[in-house]
């Protein structure tokens, strides 16, 4: 019964794998077809652009030739007024150039200022972070030193008490253990 179940699961699993393989193959084939269609569409678009550009170029050349003759006549008439306005135009152009240069300079300064402030903020954050670490490290060391100091002080007190007790025992001519030799210390 178990062998039949395993055999059934194997055949069922193989069938599912075959179906998955077929689906993957179909998907790959569809993707290939889509790519071919996209490539064909792209070629059509490029061809249309070229044709449109050629048509527009020819149209513009024709318009250019037509307007050239009219413009030449108008330009001859305007040449005198243009010469008179030339100095004014140069001044206006220089003024606009100065305004644009100033605006660009302001933008550049603002960018540099923002970059500098961001850099300073990062640097301050790093310094504060290092100071916080240093403070925590110092607190840890202070706590450690205080605990060691307390331990050494306690050991010194115990040594002092022991020394005093020994001196009391040595001074007493009749050392009797009926009385507590440490009574003076307590």
């Amino acid at each position: 019964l178990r062998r039949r179940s395993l055999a059934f699961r194997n055949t069922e699993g193989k069938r599912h794998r075959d179906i998955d393989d077929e689906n993957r193959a179909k998907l790959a084939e569809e993707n290939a077809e889509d790519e071919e269609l996209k490539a064909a569409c792209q070629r059509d678009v490029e061809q249309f652009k070229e044709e449109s550009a050629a048509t527009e170029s020819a149209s513009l050349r024709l318009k250019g030739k037509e307007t050239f003759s009219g413009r030449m006549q108008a330009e001859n008439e305007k040449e005198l007024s243009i010469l008179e306005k030339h100095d004014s135009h140069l001044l206006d152009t220089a003024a606009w150039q100065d305004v644009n240069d100033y605006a660009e300079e302001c933008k550049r300064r603002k960018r540099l200022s923002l970059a500098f402030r961001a850099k300073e903020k990062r640097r301050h954050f790093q310094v504060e972070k290092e100071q916080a670490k240093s403070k925590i490290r110092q607190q840890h060391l202070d706590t450690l030193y205080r605990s060691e100091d307390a331990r050494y002080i306690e050991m010194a007190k115990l040594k002092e008490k022991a020394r005093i007790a020994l001196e009391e025992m040595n001074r007493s001519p009749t050392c009797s253990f009926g009385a507590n030799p440490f009574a003076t210390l307590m």
Side-chain angles (χ1 to χ4, degrees):
L1 180 63
R2 182 180 168 119
R3 282 186 184 180
R4 272 191 254 148
S5 173
L6 289 174
F8 174 72
R9 281 192 236 154
N10 277 343
T11 57
E12 194 63 23
K14 178 157 179 28
R15 189 177 68 83
H16 282 280
R17 284 191 300 278
D18 291 342
I19 290 171
D20 288 343
D21 291 342
E22 287 176 18
N23 287 339
R24 275 194 289 277
K26 285 180 186 177
L27 185 61
E29 189 176 308
E30 289 173 2
N31 286 341
E33 290 175 8
D34 286 345
E35 288 299 320
E36 289 177 17
L37 289 175
K38 285 180 184 176
C41 288
Q42 187 64 31
R43 284 192 299 273
D44 291 345
V45 166
E46 292 299 323
Q47 184 180 0
F48 178 75
K49 284 181 181 178
E50 290 173 4
E51 291 172 0
S52 296
T55 305
E56 190 168 331
S57 175
S59 173
L60 287 174
R61 272 186 263 134
L62 178 62
K63 286 180 185 177
K65 287 178 182 178
E66 289 174 353
T67 57
F68 180 73
S69 63
R71 193 172 65 230
M72 287 304 292
Q73 186 179 1
E75 293 231 357
N76 286 334
E77 294 169 0
K78 292 181 181 180
E79 190 171 330
L80 292 174
S81 81
I82 289 175
L83 289 174
E84 292 171 1
K85 295 179 181 179
H86 181 67
D87 290 334
S88 174
H89 177 70
L90 287 177
L91 289 174
D92 288 345
T93 303
W96 276 108
Q97 185 62 40
D98 289 344
V99 168
N100 288 335
D101 290 345
Y102 178 73
E104 288 298 319
E105 180 65 20
C106 288
K107 286 180 187 175
R108 186 185 68 78
R109 277 195 229 141
K110 186 175 181 180
R111 267 194 319 271
L112 290 175
S113 173
L114 288 173
F116 177 75
R117 282 187 272 163
K119 184 179 178 181
E120 281 297 305
K121 188 172 184 177
R122 284 191 300 273
R123 191 177 67 78
H124 282 288
F125 176 76
Q126 188 64 30
V127 167
E128 288 174 359
K129 188 177 175 182
E130 289 173 8
Q131 286 176 347
K133 283 182 183 178
S134 175
K135 185 177 179 181
I136 290 171
R137 202 175 306 117
Q138 188 61 41
Q139 287 175 348
H140 175 70
L141 287 174
D142 287 346
T143 304
L144 179 68
Y145 293 153
R146 272 191 244 119
S147 66
E148 287 181 0
D149 287 346
R151 187 174 58 126
Y152 287 127
I153 289 170
E154 186 63 31
M155 286 173 49
K157 285 180 182 178
L158 288 175
K159 283 181 182 179
E160 183 64 23
K161 285 182 182 181
R163 186 188 59 78
I164 291 171
L166 285 174
E167 286 178 4
E168 285 294 320
M169 284 177 66
N170 288 337
R171 268 191 272 157
S172 171
T174 57
C175 181
S176 81
F177 287 104
N180 187 359
F182 299 106
T184 59
L185 297 176
M186 294 183 178

